[in-house]
Coordinates of all heavy atoms in Angstrom, one line a residue:
M183 N -4.9 -9.3 -21.5 CA -5.1 -7.9 -21.8 C -4.2 -7.6 -23.0 O -3.1 -7.9 -23.2 CB -4.6 -7.1 -20.6 CG -4.7 -5.6 -20.8 SD -4.6 -4.6 -19.3 CE -3.3 -5.3 -18.4
T184 N -4.9 -6.8 -23.9 CA -4.3 -6.4 -25.1 C -3.7 -5.0 -24.9 O -4.4 -4.1 -24.4 CB -5.3 -6.3 -26.3 OG1 -5.8 -7.6 -26.5 CG2 -4.7 -5.9 -27.6
E185 N -2.4 -4.7 -25.3 CA -1.9 -3.4 -25.2 C -1.7 -2.8 -26.6 O -1.3 -3.5 -27.5 CB -0.5 -3.5 -24.5 CG -0.6 -3.9 -23.0 CD 0.8 -3.7 -22.3 OE1 1.7 -3.1 -22.9 OE2 0.9 -4.2 -21.2
I186 N -2.0 -1.5 -26.7 CA -1.8 -0.8 -27.9 C -1.5 0.6 -27.6 O -1.9 1.2 -26.7 CB -3.2 -0.9 -28.7 CG1 -2.9 -0.2 -30.1 CG2 -4.3 -0.3 -28.0 CD1 -4.0 -0.5 -31.2
A187 N -0.5 1.1 -28.4 CA 0.0 2.5 -28.2 C -1.2 3.5 -28.6 O -2.0 3.2 -29.4 CB 1.1 2.8 -29.1
I188 N -1.2 4.6 -27.8 CA -2.3 5.6 -28.0 C -2.3 6.1 -29.5 O -3.4 6.1 -30.1 CB -2.1 6.8 -27.1 CG1 -2.3 6.4 -25.6 CG2 -3.0 7.9 -27.5 CD1 -2.0 7.4 -24.6
S189 N -1.1 6.3 -30.1 CA -1.0 6.7 -31.4 C -1.6 5.7 -32.4 O -2.2 6.1 -33.4 CB 0.5 7.0 -31.8 OG 1.2 5.8 -31.6
A190 N -1.5 4.4 -32.1 CA -2.1 3.4 -33.0 C -3.6 3.3 -32.8 O -4.3 2.9 -33.6 CB -1.3 2.1 -32.8
A191 N -4.0 3.6 -31.6 CA -5.4 3.3 -31.2 C -6.3 4.5 -31.8 O -7.5 4.2 -32.0 CB -5.5 3.4 -29.6
R192 N -5.7 5.6 -32.1 CA -6.6 6.7 -32.6 C -7.4 6.2 -33.8 O -8.6 6.6 -33.8 CB -5.7 7.8 -33.0 CG -5.2 8.7 -31.9 CD -4.5 10.0 -32.3 NE -4.0 10.7 -31.2 CZ -2.8 10.8 -30.8 NH1 -1.8 10.1 -31.6 NH2 -2.4 11.4 -29.8
S193 N -6.8 5.6 -34.8 CA -7.6 5.2 -36.0 C -8.4 3.9 -35.8 O -9.3 3.7 -36.6 CB -6.6 5.0 -37.1 OG -5.7 3.9 -36.8
R194 N -8.3 3.4 -34.6 CA -9.0 2.1 -34.4 C -9.9 2.2 -33.2 O -10.4 1.2 -32.6 CB -8.0 0.9 -34.2 CG -7.1 0.7 -35.3 CD -6.1 -0.4 -35.0 NE -6.7 -1.6 -34.5 CZ -6.0 -2.5 -33.8 NH1 -4.7 -2.4 -33.6 NH2 -6.7 -3.5 -33.4
L195 N -10.1 3.4 -32.7 CA -10.8 3.6 -31.4 C -12.2 2.9 -31.4 O -12.6 2.2 -30.5 CB -11.0 5.1 -31.1 CG -11.5 5.4 -29.7 CD1 -10.7 4.8 -28.6 CD2 -11.7 6.8 -29.5
G196 N -13.0 3.1 -32.4 CA -14.3 2.4 -32.5 C -14.2 1.0 -32.3 O -15.0 0.4 -31.5
D197 N -13.4 0.3 -33.1 CA -13.2 -1.1 -32.9 C -12.8 -1.5 -31.5 O -13.3 -2.5 -31.0 CB -12.2 -1.6 -34.0 CG -11.9 -3.1 -33.9 OD1 -12.9 -3.9 -34.0 OD2 -10.7 -3.4 -33.7
L198 N -11.9 -0.8 -31.0 CA -11.3 -1.2 -29.6 C -12.4 -1.0 -28.6 O -12.5 -1.9 -27.7 CB -10.1 -0.2 -29.3 CG -8.9 -0.5 -30.2 CD1 -7.9 0.6 -29.9 CD2 -8.3 -1.8 -30.0
V199 N -13.2 0.1 -28.7 CA -14.3 0.3 -27.7 C -15.2 -0.9 -27.8 O -15.7 -1.4 -26.8 CB -14.9 1.7 -27.9 CG1 -16.2 1.7 -27.1 CG2 -14.0 2.7 -27.5
R200 N -15.6 -1.2 -29.0 CA -16.6 -2.3 -29.2 C -16.0 -3.7 -28.7 O -16.7 -4.5 -28.0 CB -17.0 -2.5 -30.7 CG -18.0 -1.5 -31.1 CD -18.5 -1.7 -32.6 NE -17.5 -1.3 -33.6 CZ -17.2 -0.1 -34.0 NH1 -17.9 0.9 -33.4 NH2 -16.3 0.2 -34.9
R201 N -14.7 -3.9 -28.9 CA -14.1 -5.1 -28.4 C -14.2 -5.1 -26.8 O -14.5 -6.2 -26.2 CB -12.6 -5.2 -28.8 CG -12.5 -5.7 -30.2 CD -11.1 -5.6 -30.8 NE -10.1 -6.2 -29.9 CZ -8.8 -6.1 -30.2 NH1 -8.4 -5.4 -31.3 NH2 -7.9 -6.6 -29.4
A202 N -14.0 -4.0 -26.2 CA -14.0 -4.0 -24.8 C -15.5 -4.1 -24.3 O -15.7 -4.8 -23.3 CB -13.5 -2.6 -24.3
A203 N -16.4 -3.4 -24.9 CA -17.8 -3.4 -24.5 C -18.4 -4.7 -24.7 O -19.2 -5.2 -23.8 CB -18.6 -2.3 -25.2
H204 N -18.3 -5.3 -25.9 CA -19.0 -6.6 -26.2 C -18.3 -7.8 -26.0 O -18.9 -8.9 -25.7 CB -19.6 -6.5 -27.6 CG -20.4 -5.2 -27.9 ND1 -21.6 -5.0 -27.3 CD2 -20.1 -4.1 -28.6 CE1 -22.1 -3.8 -27.6 NE2 -21.2 -3.3 -28.5
G205 N -17.0 -7.7 -26.1 CA -16.2 -9.0 -26.0 C -15.6 -9.2 -24.6 O -14.9 -10.1 -24.3
R206 N -15.9 -8.1 -23.8 CA -15.3 -8.2 -22.3 C -13.8 -8.3 -22.4 O -13.3 -8.9 -21.5 CB -16.1 -9.2 -21.6 CG -17.5 -8.9 -21.3 CD -18.2 -9.8 -20.4 NE -17.6 -9.8 -19.1 CZ -18.2 -9.4 -18.0 NH1 -19.4 -9.0 -18.0 NH2 -17.6 -9.4 -16.9
E207 N -13.2 -7.7 -23.4 CA -11.7 -7.7 -23.5 C -11.2 -6.4 -22.8 O -11.7 -5.4 -23.1 CB -11.3 -7.8 -25.0 CG -9.9 -7.8 -25.2 CD -9.5 -7.9 -26.6 OE1 -10.5 -8.1 -27.5 OE2 -8.3 -7.8 -27.0
T208 N -10.2 -6.5 -22.1 CA -9.5 -5.2 -21.5 C -8.5 -4.8 -22.5 O -7.6 -5.6 -22.8 CB -9.0 -5.5 -20.1 OG1 -10.0 -5.9 -19.3 CG2 -8.4 -4.2 -19.6
I209 N -8.5 -3.5 -22.9 CA -7.6 -3.0 -23.8 C -6.8 -2.0 -23.1 O -7.3 -1.0 -22.5 CB -8.3 -2.2 -25.0 CG1 -9.3 -3.1 -25.7 CG2 -7.2 -1.8 -26.0 CD1 -8.8 -4.3 -26.5
A210 N -5.4 -2.1 -23.0 CA -4.6 -1.2 -22.3 C -4.0 -0.2 -23.4 O -3.4 -0.7 -24.3 CB -3.5 -1.9 -21.6
L211 N -4.2 1.1 -23.1 CA -3.6 2.1 -24.0 C -2.3 2.5 -23.4 O -2.3 2.9 -22.2 CB -4.6 3.3 -24.1 CG -6.0 3.0 -24.6 CD1 -6.9 4.2 -24.7 CD2 -5.9 2.3 -26.1
T212 N -1.3 2.4 -24.1 CA 0.1 2.8 -23.6 C 0.6 4.1 -24.2 O 0.3 4.5 -25.3 CB 1.0 1.7 -24.0 OG1 1.1 1.5 -25.4 CG2 0.7 0.4 -23.4
D213 N 1.3 4.8 -23.4 CA 1.9 6.0 -23.8 C 3.5 5.9 -23.4 O 3.8 5.7 -22.3 CB 1.3 7.1 -22.9 CG 1.8 8.5 -23.4 OD1 2.2 8.7 -24.6 OD2 1.7 9.5 -22.6
H214 N 4.3 5.8 -24.5 CA 5.7 5.6 -24.4 C 6.0 4.3 -23.6 O 6.9 4.3 -22.7 CB 6.3 6.8 -23.7 CG 6.2 8.1 -24.4 ND1 6.9 8.4 -25.6 CD2 5.4 9.2 -24.1 CE1 6.5 9.6 -26.0 NE2 5.6 10.1 -25.2
G215 N 5.2 3.3 -23.9 CA 5.5 2.0 -23.4 C 4.9 1.7 -21.9 O 4.9 0.7 -21.4
H216 N 4.2 2.8 -21.4 CA 3.6 2.6 -20.1 C 2.1 2.6 -20.2 O 1.5 3.5 -20.9 CB 4.0 3.7 -19.1 CG 5.5 3.7 -18.9 ND1 6.2 2.8 -18.1 CD2 6.5 4.5 -19.4 CE1 7.5 3.0 -18.1 NE2 7.7 4.1 -18.9
V217 N 1.3 1.8 -19.4 CA -0.1 1.7 -19.5 C -0.6 3.1 -19.0 O -0.3 3.5 -17.8 CB -0.7 0.6 -18.8 CG1 -2.2 0.7 -18.7 CG2 -0.3 -0.8 -19.3
A218 N -1.4 3.8 -19.8 CA -1.9 5.1 -19.4 C -3.4 5.1 -19.0 O -3.9 5.8 -18.3 CB -1.7 6.1 -20.5
A219 N -4.1 4.2 -19.8 CA -5.6 4.1 -19.5 C -6.0 2.6 -20.0 O -5.3 1.9 -20.7 CB -6.2 5.1 -20.3
L220 N -7.2 2.3 -19.5 CA -7.8 1.0 -19.9 C -9.1 1.2 -20.5 O -9.9 2.1 -19.9 CB -7.9 0.1 -18.6 CG -6.7 -0.3 -17.9 CD1 -7.0 -1.1 -16.6 CD2 -5.8 -1.1 -18.8
L221 N -9.4 0.5 -21.5 CA -10.8 0.4 -22.0 C -11.4 -0.9 -21.4 O -10.9 -2.0 -21.7 CB -10.8 0.3 -23.5 CG -10.4 1.6 -24.2 CD1 -10.3 1.3 -25.7 CD2 -11.3 2.7 -23.9
V222 N -12.4 -0.8 -20.6 CA -13.0 -2.0 -19.9 C -14.5 -1.9 -20.1 O -15.2 -0.9 -20.1 CB -12.7 -1.8 -18.4 CG1 -13.2 -3.1 -17.6 CG2 -11.2 -1.7 -18.2
S223 N -15.1 -3.1 -20.2 CA -16.6 -3.2 -20.4 C -17.2 -2.6 -19.1 O -16.8 -2.9 -18.0 CB -16.9 -4.7 -20.5 OG -18.2 -5.0 -20.1
P224 N -18.3 -1.9 -19.3 CA -19.1 -1.4 -18.1 C -19.6 -2.5 -17.2 O -19.6 -2.5 -16.0 CB -20.3 -0.7 -18.7 CG -19.8 -0.3 -20.1 CD -18.9 -1.4 -20.5
Q225 N -19.8 -3.7 -17.8 CA -20.3 -4.8 -17.0 C -19.2 -5.3 -16.1 O -19.4 -5.8 -15.0 CB -20.8 -6.0 -17.9 CG -21.4 -7.1 -17.2 CD -22.6 -6.7 -16.4 OE1 -23.5 -6.1 -16.8 NE2 -22.7 -7.1 -15.1
A226 N -18.0 -5.3 -16.6 CA -16.8 -5.8 -15.8 C -16.7 -4.8 -14.6 O -16.4 -5.4 -13.5 CB -15.5 -5.8 -16.6
I227 N -16.8 -3.5 -14.8 CA -16.8 -2.6 -13.6 C -17.9 -2.9 -12.7 O -17.7 -2.9 -11.4 CB -16.8 -1.1 -14.2 CG1 -15.6 -0.9 -15.0 CG2 -16.8 -0.2 -13.0 CD1 -14.2 -1.0 -14.3
E228 N -19.1 -3.1 -13.2 CA -20.2 -3.3 -12.3 C -20.0 -4.6 -11.5 O -20.4 -4.7 -10.3 CB -21.5 -3.4 -13.1 CG -22.0 -2.2 -13.7 CD -23.2 -2.2 -14.6 OE1 -23.8 -3.3 -14.7 OE2 -23.5 -1.3 -15.3
D229 N -19.5 -5.6 -12.1 CA -19.2 -6.9 -11.4 C -18.2 -6.7 -10.3 O -18.3 -7.2 -9.2 CB -18.6 -8.0 -12.4 CG -19.7 -8.4 -13.4 OD1 -20.9 -8.1 -13.2 OD2 -19.4 -9.1 -14.4
L230 N -17.2 -5.8 -10.6 CA -16.1 -5.6 -9.5 C -16.7 -4.7 -8.4 O -16.4 -5.0 -7.2 CB -14.9 -4.8 -10.2 CG -14.0 -5.6 -11.1 CD1 -13.1 -4.6 -11.8 CD2 -13.3 -6.6 -10.3
E231 N -17.6 -3.8 -8.7 CA -18.2 -3.0 -7.7 C -19.1 -3.8 -6.8 O -19.2 -3.7 -5.6 CB -19.0 -1.8 -8.3 CG -18.1 -0.7 -8.9 CD -18.9 0.3 -9.7 OE1 -20.1 0.1 -10.1 OE2 -18.3 1.4 -9.9
D232 N -19.8 -4.8 -7.4 CA -20.8 -5.7 -6.7 C -19.9 -6.6 -5.8 O -20.2 -6.8 -4.6 CB -21.6 -6.6 -7.6 CG -22.6 -5.9 -8.3 OD1 -22.9 -4.7 -8.0 OD2 -23.2 -6.4 -9.3
A233 N -18.7 -7.1 -6.3 CA -17.9 -7.9 -5.5 C -17.3 -7.2 -4.3 O -17.2 -7.7 -3.2 CB -16.8 -8.5 -6.3
L234 N -17.0 -5.9 -4.5 CA -16.3 -5.1 -3.5 C -17.4 -4.8 -2.4 O -17.1 -4.9 -1.3 CB -15.9 -3.7 -4.1 CG -15.3 -2.8 -3.1 CD1 -14.2 -3.3 -2.3 CD2 -14.9 -1.5 -3.7
A235 N -18.7 -4.5 -2.8 CA -19.7 -4.3 -1.9 C -20.0 -5.5 -1.0 O -20.1 -5.4 0.2 CB -21.0 -3.9 -2.6
V236 N -20.0 -6.7 -1.6 CA -20.2 -7.9 -0.8 C -19.1 -8.1 0.1 O -19.2 -8.5 1.3 CB -20.4 -9.1 -1.8 CG1 -20.3 -10.4 -1.0 CG2 -21.7 -9.0 -2.6
A237 N -17.8 -8.0 -0.3 CA -16.6 -8.1 0.6 C -16.7 -7.1 1.7 O -16.4 -7.5 2.9 CB -15.3 -7.9 -0.3
E238 N -17.0 -5.9 1.5 CA -17.2 -4.9 2.5 C -18.2 -5.3 3.5 O -18.1 -5.1 4.7 CB -17.5 -3.5 1.9 CG -16.3 -2.9 1.2 CD -16.6 -1.6 0.5 OE1 -17.8 -1.3 0.2 OE2 -15.7 -0.8 0.2
Y239 N -19.4 -5.7 3.0 CA -20.5 -6.2 3.9 C -20.0 -7.3 4.8 O -20.2 -7.3 6.0 CB -21.6 -6.7 3.0 CG -22.7 -7.4 3.8 CD1 -23.7 -6.7 4.5 CD2 -22.7 -8.7 3.9 CE1 -24.7 -7.3 5.3 CE2 -23.7 -9.4 4.7 CZ -24.7 -8.7 5.4 OH -25.6 -9.3 6.1
K240 N -19.3 -8.3 4.2 CA -18.8 -9.5 5.0 C -17.9 -9.0 6.0 O -17.9 -9.5 7.2 CB -18.2 -10.5 4.1 CG -19.3 -11.3 3.2 CD -18.6 -12.3 2.4 CE -19.7 -13.1 1.6 NZ -19.1 -14.1 0.7
L241 N -16.9 -8.1 5.7 CA -16.0 -7.6 6.6 C -16.6 -6.9 7.7 O -16.3 -7.2 8.9 CB -15.0 -6.7 5.9 CG -13.9 -6.1 6.8 CD1 -13.0 -7.2 7.4 CD2 -13.0 -5.1 6.0
K242 N -17.6 -6.0 7.5 CA -18.3 -5.4 8.5 C -19.1 -6.3 9.4 O -19.1 -6.1 10.6 CB -19.2 -4.3 8.0 CG -18.5 -3.1 7.4 CD -19.6 -2.1 6.9 CE -18.9 -0.9 6.2 NZ -19.9 0.1 5.7
K243 N -19.6 -7.3 8.9 CA -20.4 -8.4 9.6 C -19.4 -9.1 10.5 O -19.7 -9.3 11.7 CB -21.1 -9.3 8.7 CG -22.0 -10.2 9.3 CD -22.8 -11.0 8.3 CE -23.8 -11.9 9.0 NZ -24.6 -12.7 8.1
E244 N -18.2 -9.5 10.0 CA -17.2 -10.2 10.8 C -16.7 -9.3 12.0 O -16.5 -9.8 13.1 CB -16.0 -10.5 9.9 CG -16.1 -11.8 9.2 CD -14.9 -12.1 8.5 OE1 -13.8 -11.7 8.7 OE2 -15.0 -13.0 7.5
Q245 N -16.5 -8.0 11.7 CA -16.0 -7.1 12.7 C -17.1 -6.6 13.7 O -16.8 -6.0 14.7 CB -15.4 -5.8 12.0 CG -14.2 -6.2 11.2 CD -13.7 -5.0 10.5 OE1 -14.4 -4.0 10.1 NE2 -12.4 -5.0 10.1
G246 N -18.4 -6.9 13.4 CA -19.4 -6.5 14.2 C -19.8 -5.0 14.1 O -20.3 -4.4 15.0
T247 N -19.4 -4.5 13.0 CA -19.6 -3.0 12.7 C -20.7 -2.7 11.7 O -20.9 -1.6 11.3 CB -18.4 -2.3 12.3 OG1 -17.9 -2.9 11.0 CG2 -17.3 -2.4 13.3
L248 N -21.5 -3.8 11.4 CA -22.6 -3.7 10.4 C -23.7 -2.9 11.1 O -24.2 -3.2 12.1 CB -23.1 -5.1 10.0 CG -24.0 -5.2 8.9 CD1 -23.3 -4.7 7.6 CD2 -24.4 -6.7 8.6
E249 N -24.1 -1.8 10.4 CA -25.2 -1.0 10.9 C -26.5 -1.7 10.6 O -26.7 -2.4 9.6 CB -25.1 0.4 10.3 CG -23.9 1.1 10.7 CD -23.8 2.5 10.1 OE1 -24.8 3.0 9.6 OE2 -22.7 3.1 10.1
P250 N -27.5 -1.4 11.4 CA -28.9 -2.0 11.2 C -29.4 -1.5 9.8 O -29.3 -0.3 9.4 CB -29.7 -1.5 12.3 CG -29.0 -0.5 13.0 CD -27.5 -0.5 12.6
G251 N -30.1 -2.4 9.1 CA -30.7 -2.1 7.7 C -32.1 -1.9 7.9 O -32.7 -1.8 9.0
I252 N -32.7 -1.8 6.8 CA -34.2 -1.7 6.7 C -34.8 -3.1 6.5 O -34.3 -3.8 5.6 CB -34.6 -0.8 5.5 CG1 -34.0 0.6 5.7 CG2 -36.1 -0.7 5.4 CD1 -34.1 1.5 4.5
P253 N -35.8 -3.5 7.3 CA -36.4 -4.8 7.1 C -36.9 -5.0 5.7 O -37.4 -4.1 5.1 CB -37.5 -4.8 8.2 CG -37.1 -3.7 9.1 CD -36.4 -2.7 8.4
H254 N -36.9 -6.2 5.3 CA -37.3 -6.6 3.9 C -38.7 -6.2 3.6 O -39.0 -5.6 2.5 CB -37.2 -8.1 3.7 CG -37.4 -8.6 2.4 ND1 -36.5 -8.4 1.3 CD2 -38.5 -9.2 1.8 CE1 -37.1 -8.9 0.2 NE2 -38.2 -9.4 0.5
E255 N -39.6 -6.4 4.6 CA -41.0 -6.0 4.4 C -41.1 -4.5 4.2 O -42.0 -4.0 3.3 CB -41.8 -6.5 5.6 CG -42.1 -7.9 5.6 CD -42.9 -8.5 4.5 OE1 -43.8 -7.8 4.1 OE2 -42.5 -9.5 3.9
E256 N -40.4 -3.7 4.9 CA -40.4 -2.3 4.8 C -39.9 -1.8 3.4 O -40.5 -0.9 2.8 CB -39.6 -1.6 5.9 CG -39.5 -0.1 5.8 CD -40.9 0.6 6.0 OE1 -41.9 0.0 6.6 OE2 -41.1 1.7 5.6
V257 N -38.9 -2.4 2.9 CA -38.4 -2.1 1.6 C -39.5 -2.4 0.6 O -39.7 -1.6 -0.3 CB -37.1 -2.9 1.2 CG1 -36.8 -2.7 -0.2 CG2 -36.0 -2.4 2.2
G258 N -40.2 -3.5 0.7 CA -41.3 -3.9 -0.2 C -42.4 -2.8 -0.2 O -42.9 -2.3 -1.2
R259 N -42.7 -2.3 1.0 CA -43.7 -1.2 1.1 C -43.2 0.0 0.5 O -44.0 0.8 -0.2 CB -44.1 -1.0 2.6 CG -45.1 -2.1 3.1 CD -45.6 -1.6 4.5 NE -44.6 -1.7 5.5 CZ -44.2 -2.7 6.2 NH1 -44.7 -3.9 5.9 NH2 -43.3 -2.6 7.1
M260 N -42.0 0.4 0.7 CA -41.4 1.6 0.2 C -41.4 1.6 -1.4 O -41.6 2.7 -2.0 CB -39.9 1.9 0.7 CG -39.9 2.1 2.1 SD -38.2 2.1 2.8 CE -37.4 3.4 2.0
L261 N -41.2 0.4 -2.0 CA -41.2 0.3 -3.4 C -42.5 0.1 -4.0 O -42.8 -0.1 -5.2 CB -40.3 -0.9 -3.8 CG -38.8 -0.6 -3.5 CD1 -38.0 -1.9 -3.7 CD2 -38.3 0.6 -4.2
G262 N -43.6 0.0 -3.1 CA -44.9 -0.2 -3.6 C -45.2 -1.6 -4.0 O -46.1 -1.9 -4.8
L263 N -44.4 -2.6 -3.5 CA -44.6 -4.0 -3.9 C -45.5 -4.7 -2.9 O -45.8 -5.9 -3.1 CB -43.2 -4.6 -3.9 CG -42.2 -4.0 -4.9 CD1 -40.9 -4.7 -4.8 CD2 -42.8 -4.1 -6.3
R264 N -45.8 -4.1 -1.8 CA -46.6 -4.8 -0.8 C -47.8 -3.9 -0.4 O -47.9 -2.7 -0.4 CB -45.8 -5.1 0.5 CG -44.6 -5.9 0.1 CD -44.0 -6.6 1.2 NE -42.8 -7.2 1.0 CZ -42.6 -8.3 0.2 NH1 -43.5 -8.9 -0.4 NH2 -41.3 -8.7 0.0

């Protein structure tokens, strides 16, 4: 993770955003030496959200608290695929 002071980031914001978005690099913006915000690729966030959803599903399944879902065939009909 690259750290850069907010004051230094102002003039380089476009470049930093592109690095985060396309290079999947996390940029930490610091304020008085402390991380204040992160520039992170949207894909990285989506990957984390997907991993969290899978972990929550597995935990509910293990605990026996998984609620009944919609059968695959019904989803296909709802989406007009069948």
Side-chain angles (χ1 to χ4, degrees):
M183 176 167 44
T184 302
E185 291 188 13
I186 185 167
I188 293 171
S189 58
R192 282 189 182 105
S193 64
R194 300 178 49 200
L195 187 59
D197 176 57
L198 295 171
V199 169
R200 282 187 284 283
R201 283 170 51 187
H204 303 295
R206 294 187 61 117
E207 180 180 355
T208 300
I209 311 289
L211 302 177
T212 61
D213 188 22
H214 301 288
H216 300 285
V217 175
L220 299 173
L221 294 175
V222 182
S223 161
Q225 186 60 49
I227 297 298
E228 289 173 11
D229 292 348
L230 288 171
E231 288 172 342
D232 289 347
L234 178 60
V236 169
E238 288 172 342
Y239 170 83
K240 288 180 178 179
L241 180 61
K242 286 180 181 181
K243 190 172 181 180
E244 275 183 22
Q245 293 174 336
T247 59
L248 192 61
E249 295 181 17
I252 302 171
H254 186 73
E255 289 297 320
E256 178 63 21
V257 171
R259 282 191 291 281
M260 292 169 68
L261 296 174
L263 301 174
R264 304 203 191 285

